[in-house]
Amino acid sequence: MAATSDETFLREELKQIKSEVPGIEGVKLIAAVTNLVRVEIFITQQKSVAVVCLFQPAYPTVPLVTEIKSKTLADKLLDRLAKLCDDECKKLQGKQQVVHVIQFVKTFLEENPLCVCSEEIATVKKLCDGERDEVKLKQKQSQVIFKLCQEQYFMNLKIFVPDEYPLKQVIPEITEHNFPEFLKVNFQAQAIEIARQCVHPPLKKKPKDPPFVLKPSFEPVCSFVIRDCLKKYPLESCPLCGDKVLPADPAMATAVKGKSRVERMYCGHLFHYICLCKYMKTPPFTGKICSKCKVPIYHEKFKVSAEVLEQRWVHKEAKQRELEEVQEFLQ
């Protein structure tokens, strides 16, 4: 029985596939038979996929159906990529399609390095819920750029995603802002440390600690900077006086000097320095805690022991009583 034109076309394409695909860098041909072609594409350890091209009856008039699987990339991304492949095949109806699909998937993985954190990017975008918030993906530079606002405060955040991600941590950089500079320095230092802790075990492991497990760093870093810094502090009030801790107008210098100077505690909350100073220097001198989180207050500017603070307070009160007695005598 003579072969149909479609069968002859398929035999010729399979012959071409077996000849050309093994020569494509990073592509391994697993199977090439009359019902499917399967290849594995390796760009990096995290960007590797298995691609299956299924021949439909009446191929090539009816286009291929593409299935893509990966142990590392998100299912939503793979589904979207498979649909893109199907669209490419529709453009090539009546022509050879398999090699084009393989090249298309390989190029997509090479030109979209941020695909390794696509789910994390989608999660973080939900935190950028302000009307003026923007998120831009720069695939060629492997960067995500955030432009974020809260009240009158803003921050531009750049996150670089390395090729070896998530085996290596992201690199965060706050490029512009109008927060007090000491807060920006703290935000960035903590973001870098959060990223480091995601991929490096503790320097001093405690005996009861569970085994270290490497985890992706993009979402933890972005969540900290966006939710716990940019979106939080412009709305935060001083735990002691109840007024907003940062000035409504970022151009005012009162956050770094003057009566409204701001101090950040180790628990993460902000205090007016004048409120904190009064609180720390009045009795009782033990059990000083942050009223918001109930964590003991510690700050390097208040290292003096409770005993010394009490002695100073007693001395100050004695002097005040003496002054009042003198004033009363002179009246």
Side-chain angles (χ1 to χ4, degrees):
M1 185 175 181
T4 65
S5 58
D6 289 345
E7 291 173 342
T8 302
F9 182 94
L10 181 56
R11 280 202 301 267
E12 289 297 317
E13 183 167 4
L14 288 173
K15 183 178 179 181
Q16 179 204 28
I17 291 166
K18 293 175 183 178
S19 172
E20 293 184 12
V21 171
I24 302 174
E25 184 179 359
V27 179
K28 182 179 180 181
L29 181 63
I30 305 300
V33 292
T34 54
N35 60 332
L36 64 83
V37 172
R38 177 185 174 90
V39 299
E40 292 179 354
I41 301 176
F42 181 91
I43 307 300
T44 68
Q45 184 176 344
Q46 303 303 314
K47 288 182 283 188
S48 56
V49 298
V51 180
V52 178
C53 298
L54 299 168
F55 297 113
Q56 302 301 297
Y59 174 82
T61 304
V62 177
L64 289 172
V65 173
T66 308
E67 295 179 354
I68 306 176
K69 301 293 182 183
S70 173
K71 294 180 179 179
T72 54
L73 299 178
D75 290 339
K76 286 185 178 180
L77 173 76
L78 299 177
D79 290 343
R80 184 165 65 89
L81 180 55
K83 289 179 181 178
L84 291 175
C85 291
D86 291 343
D87 291 341
E88 288 295 310
C89 291
K90 290 175 183 178
K91 299 175 185 177
L92 296 172
Q93 283 181 257
K95 301 178 182 179
Q96 295 183 351
Q97 300 167 23
V98 175
V99 174
H100 178 79
V101 166
I102 293 171
Q103 291 282 17
F104 180 82
V105 174
K106 182 174 183 288
T107 300
F108 179 91
L109 295 176
E110 290 172 337
E111 294 183 352
N112 293 272
L114 297 175
C115 66
V116 294
C117 53
S118 60
E119 279 192 320
E120 291 181 276
I121 292 173
T123 299
V124 170
K125 279 184 175 180
K126 296 176 183 178
L127 300 176
C128 307
D129 53 3
E131 293 182 359
R132 295 175 292 165
D133 293 344
E134 296 180 19
V135 183
K136 294 183 179 180
L137 308 186
K138 292 190 173 183
Q139 293 287 357
K140 290 184 178 180
Q141 291 82 24
S142 193
Q143 295 175 353
V144 183
I145 307 298
F146 296 92
K147 294 185 177 181
L148 308 158
C149 298
Q150 183 70 21
E151 300 286 312
Q152 298 302 312
Y153 288 84
F154 78 90
M155 180 187 298
N156 293 349
L157 173 67
K158 178 171 68 178
I159 304 290
F160 172 73
V161 181
D163 284 339
E164 299 83 357
Y165 184 84
L167 302 179
K168 287 189 176 181
Q169 72 255 37
V170 297
I171 301 174
E173 181 185 357
I174 298 173
T175 55
E176 290 185 78
H177 69 98
N178 62 353
F179 283 84
E181 184 64 21
F182 80 94
L183 282 180
K184 176 262 183 180
V185 171
N186 182 275
F187 296 163
Q188 183 157 306
Q190 283 201 264
I192 292 171
E193 177 59 16
I194 289 170
R196 188 198 67 80
Q197 290 177 1
C198 288
V199 301
H200 294 290
L203 297 176
K204 293 182 180 179
K205 185 179 179 181
K206 297 179 181 178
K208 294 184 179 180
D209 284 350
F212 174 75
V213 177
L214 183 145
K215 62 182 180 180
S217 56
F218 183 90
E219 192 274 334
V221 166
C222 293
S223 293
F224 166 74
V225 176
I226 298 171
R227 183 188 60 217
D228 301 335
C229 297
L230 180 280
K231 296 293 183 179
K232 172 185 174 183
Y233 285 123
L235 304 177
E236 185 160 324
S237 59
C238 174
L240 298 173
C241 71
D243 293 338
K244 277 195 175 181
V245 70
L246 291 175
D249 182 358
M252 295 175 65
T254 54
V256 292
K257 61 184 179 180
K259 292 184 178 180
S260 298
R261 174 178 149 200
V262 173
E263 292 287 347
R264 184 182 183 279
M265 297 296 102
Y266 279 84
C267 64
H269 290 112
L270 299 182
F271 288 70
H272 290 135
Y273 178 77
I274 193 170
C275 300
L276 180 66
C277 193
K278 182 179 179 181
Y279 177 60
M280 297 298 289
K281 293 182 179 181
T282 54
F285 296 101
T286 57
K288 299 287 188 179
I289 62 172
C290 173
S291 61
K292 288 193 173 182
C293 62
K294 309 305 179 185
V295 171
I297 288 179
Y298 174 78
H299 194 281
E300 59 184 9
K301 294 179 181 177
F302 298 96
K303 292 181 179 179
V304 179
S305 66
E307 292 78 10
V308 173
L309 285 172
E310 185 170 7
Q311 290 172 6
R312 290 178 178 177
W313 180 80
V314 170
H315 180 69
K316 179 182 177 182
E317 288 295 303
K319 287 186 68 176
Q320 181 64 30
R321 283 195 300 270
E322 289 177 5
L323 180 60
E324 289 174 356
E325 289 172 0
V326 170
Q327 288 176 341
E328 186 177 337
F329 176 78
L330 294 174
Q331 288 178 354

